[in-house]
Structure formats: C-alpha cells, structure tokens
Amino acid sequence: MSSNEWEQEFFIKKGKYFLEYMNLRWAYAEAMVDEIVKVLAEHDVQTGKILDLCCGNGRLSIWLAKKGFEAVGIDLSPLFIEDAVRKANEFGVESQVKFLVGDIQKVDEIVVSEKPFDAVINFWTSIGYADEKSDEEIFNKTRRITRKNGILLIGQCMHREFLPLQFNPRIYTEYEDTVLLEEREFNQISSRLKSTWKYYTKEGENMRFLDSCIFNIRVYGVNEIVSILEKTGWKVMDVFGSLMTRRPFNILTVMNIIAKAV
Ligand SMILES: C[S@@+](CC[C@H](N)C(=O)[O-])C[C@H]1O[C@@H](n2cnc3c(N)ncnc32)[C@H](O)[C@@H]1O
C-alpha cells in the first residue's frame, strides 16, 4: 500500500474513527495554543497569518484565531475540513480562519492566494507520511510561502530516538465507547513505523470489532529533521522536549522544533 493509499484510507475513507480520536485533543488545544503564541512572540511574530499544515479538524487554527491571529489550515481529509469549518462557526471565528482541503505536497499551489505567512505550524507527528524526498520538498515549498524571519514550529512530533527505547508492539486506548488497539512494527532500517489500528466498540462486557486500517510513517531522528530544515532555507533556533514546560529535548521526550526562515 503506497503512502497515498494508506493516507486515503486512514484519514478519508475510514476517517470517522480517527476524527473521534482527534477530538480528544481539543481538551487542551487552548493551553497548547497559549504556548504557541508565547513561542511566536519570543521570535517577533505577535500578529499575522499562520499556516497550519495538516490541521486536522482545526483545533489549533481555531484557537489561534481566537487569540487574534489569522489562520489558514490545510488538510487532506474533506471530512476533517468540514468539521473544522463547522467548529469555526461554533467558535465565532469563521472570518479569521480559512480551511482548505489538499495534499501538503502541493502546499504552495493550494495557498497561492494566501501567502506570505508569518508562521507555519505542523503539530502532532504530521510529517513523514510520504518519503524523505517528499518531506524535503514540503519544507522547501513551505519556506517559499513564508516571509523572511517567519517562524516554523514543528510540535509534539514523535522521533526516532524515542521509538526503539520505549517500543510497545501493542497499545490499547479506551475513550467513550471505543477501544483502539494499535499493533505496531518498527523497521529500524527504513525507520518506518507501520501500525494496524483496530477499532472496537464496547457492548456490555464484550467488544465488537468495527474496522481496521494501516498507519505507516517515516519516523525521523532530530538530526534528520534539522538537516532537512537547514537544506530548505530554515535555521533551527531551538529544540524542546515540551512546549508547555520548555523541558529540554531528550530521548524520552517528544520533539518540538523552532526554526526561522532565512
Ligand atoms: C495526527 S493528525 C494531526 C492533526 C492536527 N495537526 C492536530 O494537531 O490536531 C495528522 C493530520 O494530517 C493530515 N494529513 C495526512 N496526510 C496529509 C497530506 N498529505 N496532506 C495534508 N494533510 C495530511 C490528516 O488528515 C490528519 O488530519
């Protein structure tokens, strides 16, 4: 299954399951955006237009709009974008945020009438869905639509240093009436994590199988992302383990990278 095929199935065809899972993260979206706003201010981006690459159903774009920024979110899944538009209306920020369906591999074409951006965010391991060459091209295109000294913030990203150390081949998560079982394989040579996500619904003491789909991503080491960024016109300013606490990055934390358009 090529990267495009699994993405289509996971995020579009069977996207209603991931949408429910993604909704759990709305609980701390405002707190996360408060930290994003602080980081941007520290790098002289106090106002302006933010591009949210792989925006999902819009939790960060909508809260950025609530905090006074203009936001443009792009995502592959029409289902997530429809939900984001609905939520923007509910939050009363429909005039400050725009949501577009599209593949970030064509980001420059999709947002051609929106550029330049003052900052770009890419959150919750939203890179590595295709291959290294495509990712390099995405950061290259993103750089070209960002103003000089604009900021790129890659947040809450899984990384290669962490994965073999804490590797768990089966992860169960329960939320509302759903049980999610992830069966994972990590290929050290290709650095790809391939998981089968199996969704079940609780029925009394039993669980009924709903559906399954494949998730398959290239997991980068921090040095690899830094090298891609530096090749594509970004200067890495900082790497943190947590945006909330500014804990330094280490092999047990997630990866948060702040880079400047040079
Ligand atoms: C893990 S979710 C993160 C969502 C969002 N950034 C957040 O933090 O809530 C990854 C998102 O990437 C989107 N996505 C996957 N491949 C994409 C592509 N090629 N172009 C645009 N969006 C893509 C998915 O539809 C999904 O919404």
Side-chain angles (χ1 to χ4, degrees), residues 136 140 226-234:
E136 190 174 315
N140 191 20
V226 168
S227 147
I228 292 178
L229 294 181
E230 302 215 320
K231 256 199 262 175
T232 53
W234 297 98

Side-chain angles (χ1 to χ4, degrees), residues 167-235:
F167 193 73
N168 192 343
R170 289 166 79 80
I171 299 179
Y172 288 91
T173 314
E174 285 189 53
Y175 50 96
E176 292 163 10
D177 289 335
T178 305
V179 175
L180 165 63
L181 166 62
E182 280 175 66
E183 292 173 340
R184 314 193 309 161
E185 289 164 33
F186 181 56
N187 183 325
Q188 301 259 14
I189 298 172
S190 62
S191 199
R192 289 199 83 94
L193 174 71
K194 187 172 168 198
S195 316
T196 306
W197 287 43
K198 295 183 175 169
Y199 296 98
Y200 298 83
T201 187
K202 293 179 212 163
E203 287 182 347
E205 292 294 301
N206 300 316
M207 289 196 305
R208 183 167 56 84
F209 174 74
L210 292 173
D211 219 330
S212 70
C213 42
I214 302 289
F215 179 80
N216 180 350
I217 58 162
R218 168 69 161 86
V219 182
Y220 290 102
V222 65
N223 62 319
E224 292 179 302
I225 292 273
V226 168
S227 147
I228 292 178
L229 294 181
E230 302 215 320
K231 256 199 262 175
T232 53
W234 297 98
K235 180 177 179 347

Side-chain angles (χ1 to χ4, degrees), residues 7 11 18 22 54-56 59-60 75-77 80 102-104 123-124 126 129:
E7 287 172 279
F11 296 115
F18 188 73
M22 190 157 54
C54 298
C55 64
R59 63 188 180 116
L60 302 176
D75 200 280
L76 189 67
S77 174
F80 303 166
D103 188 330
I104 54 165
F123 264 70
W124 185 14
S126 293
Y129 293 148

Side-chain angles (χ1 to χ4, degrees), residues 29 74 88 132 159 172 178 192 243 246:
I74 158 171
E132 293 94 2
H159 58 87
Y172 288 91
T178 305
R192 289 199 83 94
L243 279 188
R246 302 298 172 95

